[in-house]
Amino acid sequence: MLVAGKAKYAILPEHMATMSVMQGNKAGKKLGKVMSLQAEWAKATGKSPRIPQAGILVSGELIAKHPELVAELQKQFEQSVQFLNEQPKDAAAMIAKYQDGLTPPIIESVIPSLNLQFVSAKDAKEELEFFFTELSTLSPEIIGGKLPDAGFYYAP
């Protein structure tokens, strides 16, 4: 809608925001990103300029039976985030092999805007509970009516 000129503003997730700006510029439209929701979150809350929005969920059974596998998964995930941030060109070339329609230059241009950070569940607990509490002010049902118990936060 934005690129077609049917909308003046849009709130879009990455990679769609970057792709829309690129498509709009190719079509002669003057589009650009004017704000970051993560930066606005920081202004509104006084917290870090990031919104907790992704995680890995595993069963308690897997943790109990194969703790070494879960620890390795966490380690590999942390290394992957580091690789994406430190070597975006190489990462983009790898990702493009699995993403139809996305070229390495597009992927590389998106990576810095993703604000990817690895934070363990244990270290993110305070930030997540703040986020969950804020969500619950809209509707407690959003978080199941209460904050998660301590078992929600993996600690090796």
Side-chain angles (χ1 to χ4, degrees), residues 42-87:
K43 286 182 201 172
T45 64
K47 300 290 184 183
S48 297
R50 63 178 183 212
I51 301 171
Q53 55 186 324
I56 299 172
L57 300 174
V58 298
S59 70
E61 182 180 353
L62 181 64
I63 294 169
K65 288 184 176 179
H66 302 284
E68 73 290 343
L69 177 66
V70 177
E72 182 64 20
L73 176 64
Q74 182 168 290
K75 178 180 154 198
Q76 292 293 323
F77 194 85
E78 182 174 15
Q79 290 174 351
S80 294
V81 170
Q82 184 177 354
F83 174 71
L84 281 162
N85 288 326
E86 292 177 0
Q87 299 178 54

Side-chain angles (χ1 to χ4, degrees), residues 2 6 14 42 60 66 77 98 100 104 106 110 129:
L2 187 66
K6 295 180 181 179
E14 282 298 350
H66 302 284
F77 194 85
Y98 304 99
D100 291 337
I106 290 173
V110 168
E129 287 186 344

